[in-house]
């Protein structure tokens, strides 16, 4: 039965660069890209507001057309 390396070898692990590794992953997406995504998100929210308002106005116009007929 092969159970992997002996326990004393498993316990010896160089973790001196772990912090550096995780810190680098925290900044994997460039700041410029994050700013672009934020701007696009804001623009989409504004577009959603415009479409919502347009839908409300269309519903009002349809109701007025029905009243006028």
């Amino acid at each position: 039965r092969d159970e992997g390396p002996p326990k004393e070898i498993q316990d010896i692990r160089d973790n001196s660069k772990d912090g550096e590794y995780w810190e680098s992953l925290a900044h994997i997406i460039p700041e410029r890209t994050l700013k672009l995504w934020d701007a696009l998100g804001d623009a989409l929210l504004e577009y959603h507001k415009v479409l919502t308002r347009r839908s409300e106005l269309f519903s009002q116009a349809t109701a007025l057309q029905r009243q006028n007929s």
Side-chain angles (χ1 to χ4, degrees):
R1 248 175 36 169
D2 184 19
E3 296 180 15
K7 181 158 179 40
E8 55 276 353
I9 293 176
Q10 289 178 357
D11 289 340
I12 301 170
R13 180 181 170 278
D14 180 11
N15 61 0
S16 62
K17 297 199 182 227
D18 285 2
E20 183 181 322
Y21 170 77
W22 289 111
E23 180 64 26
S24 71
L25 285 182
H27 305 289
I28 201 158
I29 300 173
E31 186 69 27
R32 186 175 177 191
T33 302
L34 291 174
K35 287 180 180 179
L36 175 65
W37 289 349
D38 287 342
L40 287 172
D42 292 342
L44 283 173
L45 286 174
E46 286 302 313
Y47 186 54
H48 180 263
K49 287 179 191 175
V50 168
L51 291 178
T52 301
R53 180 69 180 136
R54 222 177 135 165
S55 173
E56 292 167 357
L57 291 172
F58 182 77
S59 295
Q60 290 174 6
T62 304
L64 287 172
Q65 283 177 340
R66 266 189 260 130
Q67 286 178 7
N68 290 336
S69 338

